[in-house]
Amino acid sequence: MPIVGFFSENASIELQKEWEKRLQIHCSLIKLVPLLSKEAEQAQSALLWKPPLDRLKELKNLQGLISLGQGVDHILKNNSIPINIPIIRIVDPYMAKSMSHWVVLSVLNFVRDTYGYFDQEKNKLYKSRKELNFLSLKIGIYGVGAIGSVVAKDLYNLGFQVEGWSRTKKEIEGINCHYGKDCIEELIKNCDIHVCLLPLTPLTTNIFNKQTFAKMKSGSCFINAGRGNQVVENDLIENCNSGHISSAILDVYRNEPLPKNHEFWEQKNIRVWPHVAAETNPQTAAKQIANAIKCIEKGELPPNTIDRNLGY
Ligand code: NDP
Ligand code: OXD
């Protein structure tokens, strides 16, 4: 019987039960036990979101770690997981579409000046505002992987010009794709709306900083649903204060939950979302997780095992 250690930050026992029920549809023998319980000592695999990493060191039977999200930075955080333990992530088209909805919503709110109209409504002001011509707006998608490629295509189908950036060469119909460290400039300098959907790795940490913001067009919109540590937050605040970045829509932060005294809350042109752009859906993700658990039991490498050298 596969015993799986379960930990999801702030989650209730009900959530654990919900996951167990969903996983048992695909493998009736799977049993989830709390990662911090004695029983977890028998677990060969663990299903995790922001786990206490020290606890993993104590579980000597672990043969594989499964992320409860598409990102794995929460497991790799302090480099404590031995290289021979595979780390598996979710790759779920439901999440890609869900992210696409959030990015489209954010882009359209910027383009149609939704918040400007909300303010006018409060003051009973019936007046048109300056309209942006969407045909001339370029959107840069940083990270065109499982999620970013879907977002890029959906924005293109809405009539926007879309540029993509990745580590390796990509061909996506309708999207002007760039790759490699130096080519990030193509997006930074030429796009009006910047959307970060990158995984957090040493190479993407602090990638949006004073220098990158300075190179963006004045009045740019910045959207981040990748990871908070990709942005130097004080540099973003400075650029939002000066209006060089006219609007920022954020879903992820260096410290989560975003502290109550953080300046982002006060900034008029920054919108704060609580890391909900694309939430994991047990209904759609359970099959691949059950399969990963079965593979780990059999000593096989599951699909969507990350490359430890790349960190994603
Ligand atoms: P993928 O691994 O499928 O895609 C990552 C993309 O980033 C790829 O195109 C990859 O390039 C590119 N990339 C990685 N490193 C670099 C680099 N150094 N230079 C240029 N490009 C780079 O990941 P997903 O699309 O599944 O997820 C991306 C991230 O989105 C997650 O890691 C997570 O942080 C975030 N996320 C946020 C959610 C939220 O609710 N806010 C929900 C889900 C995910 P290449 O294709 O060449 O490998
Ligand atoms: C994820 C996330 O990585 O929700 O899946 O951030």
Side-chain angles (χ1 to χ4, degrees):
M1 177 204 294
I3 294 183
V4 182
F6 180 89
F7 187 93
S8 179
E9 194 194 42
N10 301 327
S12 58
I13 191 75
E14 282 72 35
L15 182 74
Q16 182 184 313
K17 292 234 172 311
E18 153 91 359
W19 271 108
E20 189 175 62
K21 198 178 87 200
R22 293 281 174 196
L23 293 170
Q24 286 175 348
I25 295 171
H26 307 284
C27 174
S28 60
L29 297 176
I30 288 175
K31 182 174 178 206
L32 295 192
V33 301
L35 191 76
L36 304 179
S37 69
K38 178 96 184 123
E39 264 183 300
E41 284 167 17
Q42 298 165 51
Q44 287 198 9
S45 53
L47 187 52
L48 306 167
W49 183 251
K50 298 190 178 176
L53 294 168
D54 283 346
R55 174 61 176 155
L56 298 177
K57 284 191 212 147
E58 295 167 3
L59 305 179
K60 304 291 181 210
N61 289 318
L62 286 177
Q63 303 294 321
L65 305 177
I66 305 165
S67 170
L68 266 170
Q70 299 220 170
V72 291
D73 49 294
H74 60 108
I75 298 175
L76 289 174
K77 209 163 68 182
N78 61 8
N79 279 326
S80 60
I81 310 297
I83 197 82
N84 60 317
I85 303 283
I87 298 176
I88 299 97
R89 72 191 193 99
I90 294 173
V91 179
D92 186 352
Y94 177 94
M95 284 180 80
K97 217 38 172 180
S98 178
M99 178 65 83
S100 178
H101 293 172
W102 183 83
V103 174
V104 167
L105 177 73
S106 302
V107 165
L108 294 183
N109 280 335
F110 172 70
V111 174
R112 302 305 299 258
D113 199 1
T114 302
Y115 299 104
Y117 281 108
F118 279 177
D119 284 346
Q120 287 194 181
E121 193 187 352
K122 278 183 218 144
N123 298 312
K124 299 188 180 167
L125 185 60
Y126 192 92
K127 185 171 160 273
S128 68
R129 298 174 66 85
K130 186 171 161 265
E131 191 176 324
L132 295 172
N133 174 358
F134 71 83
L135 290 176
S136 62
L137 290 178
K138 265 198 188 145
I139 305 182
I141 309 288
Y142 300 83
V144 281
I147 291 177
S149 60
V150 173
V151 175
K153 280 186 256 181
D154 287 350
L155 288 166
Y156 169 75
N157 287 330
L158 284 175
F160 292 100
Q161 298 176 57
V162 182
E163 311 271 320
W165 185 64
S166 51
R167 191 179 51 81
T168 58
K169 194 165 182 222
K170 292 273 170 304
E171 276 179 29
I172 307 172
E173 206 185 324
I175 315 301
N176 199 10
C177 289
H178 310 270
Y179 68 100
K181 191 168 177 283
D182 297 336
C183 287
I184 191 173
E185 299 271 319
E186 298 290 331
L187 277 73
I188 296 282
K189 287 185 177 156
N190 299 323
C191 290
D192 306 275
I193 300 174
H194 303 263
V195 182
C196 175
L197 294 170
L198 288 163
L200 183 67
T201 70
L203 292 178
T204 66
T205 301
N206 297 333
I207 195 164
F208 294 100
N209 56 40
K210 207 185 251 322
Q211 286 76 31
T212 34
F213 288 128
K215 287 181 196 156
M216 289 179 184
K217 289 189 199 175
S218 178
S220 286
C221 169
F222 178 72
I223 298 174
N224 189 18
R227 284 292 182 259
N229 283 343
Q230 286 151 352
V231 179
V232 179
E233 293 183 339
N234 282 336
D235 293 350
L236 177 61
I237 289 169
E238 256 175 46
N239 278 276
C240 286
N241 269 329
S242 71
H244 183 66
I245 298 295
S246 64
S247 177
I249 301 101
L250 308 174
D251 186 53
V252 286
Y253 311 91
R254 297 184 90 94
N255 290 311
E256 296 182 5
L258 187 66
K260 290 251 190 279
N261 63 355
H262 198 288
E263 278 190 59
F264 282 165
W265 292 110
E266 307 301 328
Q267 200 75 30
K268 216 174 167 304
N269 52 354
I270 295 184
R271 320 267 19 147
V272 171
W273 289 71
H275 201 145
V276 290
E279 296 189 278
T280 302
N281 178 353
Q283 193 184 341
T284 53
K287 189 172 179 192
Q288 59 183 280
I289 294 178
N291 183 48
I293 293 168
K294 285 189 276 182
C295 286
I296 292 166
E297 286 273 313
K298 287 190 262 174
E300 293 169 4
L301 207 57
N304 303 321
T305 297
I306 64 136
D307 180 331
R308 290 295 289 276
N309 293 319
L310 295 174
Y312 72 98

